[in-house]
Amino acid sequence: MSVTTLPSRGHALHQPGWVARLFDYKPFLIVMCLAPAIGLLLVFLTYPLGLGIWLAFTDTTIGQRGVYIGLENFQYLLKDPLWWNAVFYSVFYTAIATFGKFALGFWLALLLNNHFPLKSLIRAIVLLPWIVPTVLSALAFWWIYDPQFSIISYLLVDVLHLRSSNVDFLGSPWPARFSLIAANIWRGIPFVAISLLAGLQTISPSLYEAAMLDGATSWQRFRYITFPMMMPILAIVMTFSIIFTFTDFQLVYAITRGGPVNSTHLLATLAFQRGIAGGELGEGAAIAVSMIPFLVFATLFSYFGLARRKWQQGEAND
Amino acid sequence: MAWDSRARRVVMIYLPLACFILILLFPFYWMAITSFKPNAELLNYKEHNPFWITSPTLAHLKHLLFDTSYPRWLKTTMLVAIGSTFLSLFASTLAAYAIERLRFRGSPYVGLGIYLAYLVPPSILFIPLATVIVQFGLFDSPLALILVYPTFLVPFCTWLLIGYFKSIPYELEECALVDGATRLQILWRITLPLAVPGLISAGIFSFTLSWNEFIYALAFIQSGANKTVPVAILTELVTGDVYQWGALMAGSLLGSLPVALFYSLFVDYYVSSLTGAVKE
């Protein structure tokens, strides 16, 4: 690109209007450029975050300003079996779903890292579950888990004859919990796979060549080259995944709404039920705020747990 | 020997890959096939093979488009997605330019701060945000969604665009500065045209995420007419004890198509920006 063709050149020199000069004053320009983004984030993110923490210490309800009540909401939650149940299921859901997503996603990434025909088409297809709105695919899962017309039940009962009766996927607590986790894993695999695939492609082939010459088996190459080299990316992707799985809302809301008998409530769906549907804004905010310690802990654990190992590996290799 | 390695390849790569694709795509197949199945076939697996349709029907689609407010919901969703995408692109382009190109003391910290905003999940914010929206008199208005969605779009777009601006040689801008162009002219005429691939991937990302968003749309929109597709399907179409699976799946299919189409047009940008963003 030739810079001398800039048509604006003369314009700037001959008509230095005060507006143009103001925009060339760097501090002003910086402020103007940052204003839209920072403004939006302050008004709709930082302020609500602070307000949410404040609301958690009040007894606000919809249509009525609350007063400061200290830790009462939290004391109430600690005695509430439904809150404990939501804490349990949120942790369980996050742990199992993250494990499943990463095990299967890593496997898929390793498969996609091979050479085969139609590679880019297959990559595009694989991303589909991640692109399509979660609620809409969740509805498809709801239908797949239907008590009477589930296609899985049909396969198990009528085609394979493995069972004599339909599976009651969403009717009792444990099957419902695992059904939701399966849907979450299904949705999460593409993102994990594509992100890890990007990481795999940054590993230099010469490392594998050297290992081959030394007679390393394919398992040893995975264990001593692929896995340690993937640690930094695993740490980032897993941190993100844990945050968004722990605070998941739509999948559970769409498929079970927390049922049966409140067994599948995540903290987010419980907060919605109490805060928006039930009108207890203060209590709902307290449930939402109670997610923060778990999030901080999970983030630190996944990030530093994985990143530290990478750092140790790096030290040893130098 | 050659046969042996080929067989090994089939078992180790193609077979598992085929299973993955089958499982990842099956819910969409099921969604599609349910949308066009007459109710008689839909609820009778004994006489009809559930995996196929013998007499496809457009009845569910017709019901959806003419007896419900579905077209209205699609229009609202489109309006919200386009509006928030443009707002986010505008804000994040300027922010990324300021952070990456105008370099000032503390610019790395501003960048970090914006990035950290991405880690604040909507599930924590929706209750206080609902009260903020009410205070602004925006409750039940799609405008509320257009203004709120950038909170999760701007951080990612800014991060992505900072990476893009970094890849554009700074010398180009210096030459223009020497030639007397103003900073805004440089941004508009030099940097932005070169950053088009980045803008496109940020745009696709924003559009799909806005189309996807659920919890804010559920909490801030009350009236049936102003709902977005994901919320409306769940709250307006799911009625009573007998679910109209045909219409529900048709609605899901139709609601998925715009993002799927939009995404397939630009899939290469998308994948490369995603992989590029992770590499950074």
Side-chain angles (χ1 to χ4, degrees), chain A residues 26 29-30 33, chain B residues 94 97-104 183:
Chain A
K26 213 170 150 188
L29 186 60
I30 290 169
C33 281
Chain B
L94 288 178
Y97 184 73
I99 292 166
E100 172 56 29
R101 280 300 204 245
L102 298 177
R103 290 291 166 88
F104 49 96
R183 292 272 187 181

Side-chain angles (χ1 to χ4, degrees), chain A residues 178-234:
Chain A
F178 280 109
S179 300
L180 290 175
I181 289 173
N184 186 288
I185 291 176
W186 174 85
R187 193 190 175 273
I189 287 175
F191 177 68
V192 173
I194 293 294
S195 312
L196 296 188
L197 179 64
L200 284 175
Q201 286 170 349
T202 61
I203 302 176
S204 158
S206 60
L207 287 174
Y208 292 107
E209 284 159 19
M212 296 264 263
L213 285 177
D214 289 345
T217 63
S218 61
W219 166 250
Q220 284 172 326
R221 273 174 290 168
F222 175 77
R223 173 67 189 82
Y224 295 105
I225 301 175
T226 314
F227 200 62
M229 293 292 282
M230 292 295 282
M231 274 303 169
I233 288 184
L234 269 172

Side-chain angles (χ1 to χ4, degrees), chain B residues 67-203:
Chain B
D67 305 337
T68 70
S69 314
Y70 198 81
R72 174 86 195 260
W73 300 330
L74 268 181
K75 223 165 66 187
T76 311
T77 318
M78 192 71 86
L79 173 85
V80 168
I82 291 176
S84 52
T85 298
F86 274 98
L87 186 57
S88 309
L89 282 184
F90 173 73
S92 36
T93 306
L94 288 178
Y97 184 73
I99 292 166
E100 172 56 29
R101 280 300 204 245
L102 298 177
R103 290 291 166 88
F104 49 96
R105 242 184 336 145
S107 63
Y109 299 105
V110 175
L112 184 69
I114 291 181
Y115 173 68
L116 283 180
Y118 190 62
L119 297 181
V120 181
S123 313
I124 291 182
L125 291 176
F126 71 95
I127 291 174
L129 251 182
T131 67
V132 173
I133 294 299
V134 171
Q135 278 167 18
F136 285 172
L138 290 172
F139 191 72
D140 202 26
S141 147
L143 183 62
L145 303 182
I146 294 177
L147 287 172
V148 166
Y149 287 179
T151 54
F152 56 85
L153 302 177
V154 163
F156 189 89
C157 293
T158 307
W159 183 43
L160 203 115
L161 288 169
I162 286 178
Y164 247 90
F165 287 153
K166 246 183 219 158
S167 70
I168 299 168
Y170 191 54
E171 290 75 28
L172 285 175
E173 293 189 16
E174 280 176 335
C175 289
L177 262 184
V178 171
D179 278 356
T182 66
R183 292 272 187 181
L184 284 183
Q185 284 172 332
I186 293 172
L187 175 65
W188 185 245
R189 292 177 197 272
I190 297 176
T191 316
L192 277 189
L194 289 172
V196 163
L199 290 171
I200 290 179
S201 38

Side-chain angles (χ1 to χ4, degrees), chain A residues 8-9 12 24 26 29 33 48 51 115 124 127 132-135 139 143-144 149 154 186 240 247 250 272 284, chain B residues 9 23-24 30 34 43 45 50 94 102 118 123 127-128 131 151 179-180 183 185 212 214 218 233 245 256 263:
Chain A
S8 52
R9 185 180 162 192
D24 263 359
K26 213 170 150 188
L29 186 60
C33 281
L51 183 66
H115 290 287
L127 265 178
V132 165
T134 310
V135 168
L139 275 170
W143 172 221
I144 287 173
F149 301 103
Y154 172 80
W186 174 85
F240 270 80
T247 60
Q250 32 182 339
F272 184 87
Chain B
R9 215 173 140 76
I23 291 172
L24 289 178
W30 198 232
T34 307
L43 305 179
Y45 290 176
L94 288 178
L102 298 177
Y118 190 62
S123 313
I127 291 174
T131 67
T151 54
D179 278 356
R183 292 272 187 181
Q185 284 172 332
N212 220 322
F214 183 72
L218 180 70
I233 287 192
W245 286 113
S256 309
Y263 151 82

Side-chain angles (χ1 to χ4, degrees), chain A:
Chain A
M1 174 187 262
S2 168
V3 183
T4 46
T5 54
L6 262 185
S8 52
R9 185 180 162 192
H11 179 82
L13 284 177
H14 295 300
Q15 295 168 308
W18 66 272
V19 181
R21 261 185 297 155
L22 192 57
F23 273 98
D24 263 359
Y25 177 56
K26 213 170 150 188
F28 178 79
L29 186 60
I30 290 169
V31 169
M32 289 311 284
C33 281
L34 287 175
I38 305 266
L40 278 168
L41 289 176
L42 283 180
V43 176
F44 294 111
L45 191 123
T46 314
Y47 169 61
L49 189 62
L51 183 66
I53 293 171
W54 162 250
L55 280 177
F57 293 97
T58 68
D59 60 358
T60 312
T61 54
I62 282 180
Q64 198 192 324
R65 288 181 73 91
V67 292
Y68 178 79
I69 54 166
L71 289 171
E72 225 171 272
N73 281 327
F74 295 98
Q75 285 163 346
Y76 174 76
L77 287 181
L78 287 176
K79 279 182 266 165
D80 180 4
L82 274 185
W83 181 79
W84 280 106
N85 183 67
V87 169
F88 161 74
Y89 186 55
S90 298
V91 172
F92 184 76
Y93 182 82
T94 311
I96 306 284
T98 306
F99 178 79
K101 267 183 263 198
F102 276 79
L104 294 170
F106 204 166
W107 187 15
L108 183 57
L110 289 169
L111 292 173
L112 289 173
N113 201 27
N114 287 295
H115 290 287
F116 48 82
L118 298 177
K119 201 170 165 177
S120 62
L121 178 73
I122 289 175
R123 244 186 251 177
I125 290 175
V126 158
L127 265 178
L128 214 56
W130 189 58
I131 300 302
V132 165
T134 310
V135 168
L136 304 183
S137 52
L139 275 170
F141 270 95
W142 194 20
W143 172 221
I144 287 173
Y145 292 147
D146 189 88
Q148 262 184 293
F149 301 103
S150 166
I151 190 65
I152 302 177
S153 291
Y154 172 80
L155 279 178
L156 292 177
V157 177
D158 294 320
V159 180
L160 300 170
H161 302 290
L162 289 175
R163 284 177 61 99
S164 55
S165 62
N166 280 0
V167 185
D168 185 16
F169 287 104
L170 302 175
S172 40
W174 281 103
R177 287 176 182 144
F178 280 109
S179 300
L180 290 175
I181 289 173
N184 186 288
I185 291 176
W186 174 85
R187 193 190 175 273
I189 287 175
F191 177 68
V192 173
I194 293 294
S195 312
L196 296 188
L197 179 64
L200 284 175
Q201 286 170 349
T202 61
I203 302 176
S204 158
S206 60
L207 287 174
Y208 292 107
E209 284 159 19
M212 296 264 263
L213 285 177
D214 289 345
T217 63
S218 61
W219 166 250
Q220 284 172 326
R221 273 174 290 168
F222 175 77
R223 173 67 189 82
Y224 295 105
I225 301 175
T226 314
F227 200 62
M229 293 292 282
M230 292 295 282
M231 274 303 169
I233 288 184
L234 269 172
I236 294 173
V237 179
M238 198 176 272
T239 306
F240 270 80
S241 169
I242 287 180
I243 292 177
F244 290 109
T245 312
F246 191 82
T247 60
D248 192 15
F249 175 84
Q250 32 182 339
L251 199 75
V252 171
Y253 189 83
I255 300 179
T256 65
R257 304 229 174 163
V261 285
N262 294 312
S263 59
T264 58
H265 262 306
L266 293 173
L267 285 167
T269 56
L270 191 67
F272 184 87
Q273 197 187 31
R274 297 270 171 86
I276 304 284
E280 300 283 342
L281 286 175
E283 203 190 317
I287 297 172
V289 166
S290 73
M291 282 191 261
I292 295 175
F294 292 99
L295 282 180
V296 171
F297 177 75
T299 309
L300 293 179
F301 178 77
S302 70
Y303 191 78
F304 287 103
L306 291 167
R308 210 180 105 241
R309 285 189 58 181
K310 176 249 163 190
W311 172 74
Q312 286 175 333
Q313 299 276 357
E315 288 282 86
N317 288 346
D318 287 339

